Amino acid sequence: MPLSRVQIHALIAIAAAQLWLGLLWFFYWGHGIERGVILAVVLAGLIALRFVKGPTTGTGPVPAPRWLIYVAGAAVVLNIILMVVSTTHSWRTGHIPMDEGETSWRAARILDQGHDPYGAGALVDFAAFRTRLATRQTAGIGPTIPAADIDPALQRYDQHLDTRLRRKLLPAPGHATGVTSRETSVLGYKYGPLLLLATALLVPLGVPALVLLLNGMASFGLYATMWAILRRVSRGDMVLALAALIALLLDRHITRNYINRSATDVWSLLFGALGVLAFLSRKPVASAAALAVAVGCKILPGLAFFPILLRYRSTSLILVFAAILFGIYLPWLLWDARGIVSNVFLWPFLMTKDSSSWQFFVPAAVAMGSRLLALAAMAIVWLRYLTGRESRLFWTLAMSNVLLLLGSGFLRNGYVPWASLWIVAAIVEAYAEQEPDHQRTSILARGDIATS
């Protein structure tokens, strides 16, 4: 069966979006302005997409042509090969590519020794150690070893986690002030406790490559969850659903950062997507639990999913979310509240802008104004959805996450899937068969929560 005109338009839109976002690979460090322009064009494209409407009548489920199934199968096999090759190379070299996986492994080993990787004085984040070195030296708590020996000392510390060497690299302040207390508390683990605990289970095996294997498994979990979502949003049009899945399977921002390397965002995205799937399935408690776990893996993008729960207008559901999240973080708050608050909750505000973002190249006042504008726009987008004036969930997710990235002072390629997952879903949502207005039901009905 030949593809319909609507299906062809949808496939062109998906390919165009993915290829355009692919430009971010060619404009990275030092190209923050170009990256900002790329995202601004994406934002304009999403606004135009909102005016696209699929057919209101159809012939029911549309099967995918065999060739499209073969392409999807080949893409799955390619991802499996990438995971095997990356994990095998890591196993042979003992090296974890990317600092996010390295810090997870380092933090898990510190925890295995009985120390708090979030606590004051913890030395986990080597990148933050280097970028904030001058600040610590000015505060009088710089390393007590020569500058030329710092990098070799960090390598030795990473191998043995020697406490005496750590004290030379990060000496305790003789007289704690606001600055010294802060600077000795922000070099710990930056991601959520659930990811730390999952990695800690692997430490006794002594194989760093298992971090990559774990990331690969999370990536395939994300693919499976997105497939379930795409099948729903496509309303039985398997051409749209399968084409969108292929786009995600071939998305280099996903395969490079989450499978070839060790970016931790995949865990938060996985449970965020599971929360979205539970929301579509009208399982509010499951949705609240999954979204709490997403935040328990990583604050952002986890918190970007939270507004979905407000659609239910249920205080009890928010309490379920808060209770699970509190349970995840409570042990660490009791262990060292300042440490985990500084490293996990305050760190996004302490990070300095870098050249991957357009904000690095503009005055501070302009950057701050743009952040406030982005937050206001995100609030408006979500408010429209929560009040029922906007019916498209995935368009809302795509818009809010693009705005989040545009308002950020740092735009790593590992963050791009925060938006790209939902951009693809939003295109399927726009071109799929639409329900007539008089048949459209709302999940706002309070009875949904009681009967789900």
Side-chain angles (χ1 to χ4, degrees), residues 78-101:
L78 175 61
N79 276 261
I80 293 173
I81 292 173
L82 289 174
M83 183 175 71
V84 171
V85 170
S86 299
T87 304
T88 302
H89 183 264
S90 178
W91 175 68
R92 288 175 176 171
T93 62
H95 172 68
I96 300 173
M98 203 171 196
D99 61 325
E100 294 189 25

Side-chain angles (χ1 to χ4, degrees), residues 348-349 351-353 358-359 366-376 406-410:
F349 304 99
M351 287 180 69
T352 55
K353 299 186 292 291
W358 67 273
Q359 294 187 17
V366 174
M368 179 58 67
S370 72
R371 291 186 178 188
L372 295 175
L373 185 61
L375 284 173
L406 269 173
S408 172
F410 25 88

Side-chain angles (χ1 to χ4, degrees), residues 76-279:
V76 170
V77 171
L78 175 61
N79 276 261
I80 293 173
I81 292 173
L82 289 174
M83 183 175 71
V84 171
V85 170
S86 299
T87 304
T88 302
H89 183 264
S90 178
W91 175 68
R92 288 175 176 171
T93 62
H95 172 68
I96 300 173
M98 203 171 196
D99 61 325
E100 294 189 25
E102 289 178 346
T103 59
S104 292
W105 185 248
R106 191 177 302 125
R109 290 161 56 217
I110 290 173
L111 180 63
D112 188 61
Q113 290 183 344
H115 303 298
D116 182 5
Y118 295 109
L123 179 52
V124 177
D125 190 344
F126 287 2
F129 177 91
R130 294 185 177 98
T131 58
R132 303 183 74 86
L133 179 59
T135 302
R136 293 196 306 281
Q137 289 173 329
T138 301
I141 52 172
T144 59
I145 58 178
D149 295 337
I150 290 177
D151 281 341
L154 284 173
Q155 294 176 9
R156 292 197 306 274
Y157 173 72
D158 190 34
Q159 293 174 355
H160 307 292
L161 300 178
D162 187 339
T163 303
R164 290 172 298 179
L165 183 55
R166 174 176 59 80
R167 289 172 180 162
K168 292 180 181 180
L169 289 164
L170 184 62
H175 176 67
T177 64
V179 174
T180 57
S181 180
R182 181 194 67 204
E183 291 304 318
T184 54
S185 298
V186 296
L187 301 184
Y189 191 52
K190 297 299 188 294
Y191 313 116
L194 295 182
L195 184 56
L196 171 63
L197 294 174
T199 309
L201 294 175
L202 306 176
V203 168
L205 300 176
V207 182
L210 292 176
V211 171
L212 276 183
L213 181 62
L214 206 60
N215 246 42
M217 293 170 63
S219 299
F220 277 94
L222 178 60
Y223 289 143
T225 305
M226 290 303 300
W227 172 238
I229 289 173
L230 292 168
R231 289 181 64 183
R232 282 178 173 270
V233 74
S234 68
R235 296 189 180 278
D237 190 334
M238 299 306 292
V239 172
L240 297 186
L242 209 53
L245 178 66
I246 292 169
L248 297 180
L249 287 165
L250 298 180
D251 187 335
R252 196 62 179 136
H253 295 293
I254 296 175
T255 59
R256 170 69 172 168
N257 288 289
Y258 303 158
I259 295 180
N260 286 149
R261 307 181 80 187
S262 58
T264 55
D265 306 71
V266 65
W267 289 94
S268 191
L269 289 173
L270 167 59
F271 287 102
L274 285 170
V276 172
L277 180 60
F279 176 81

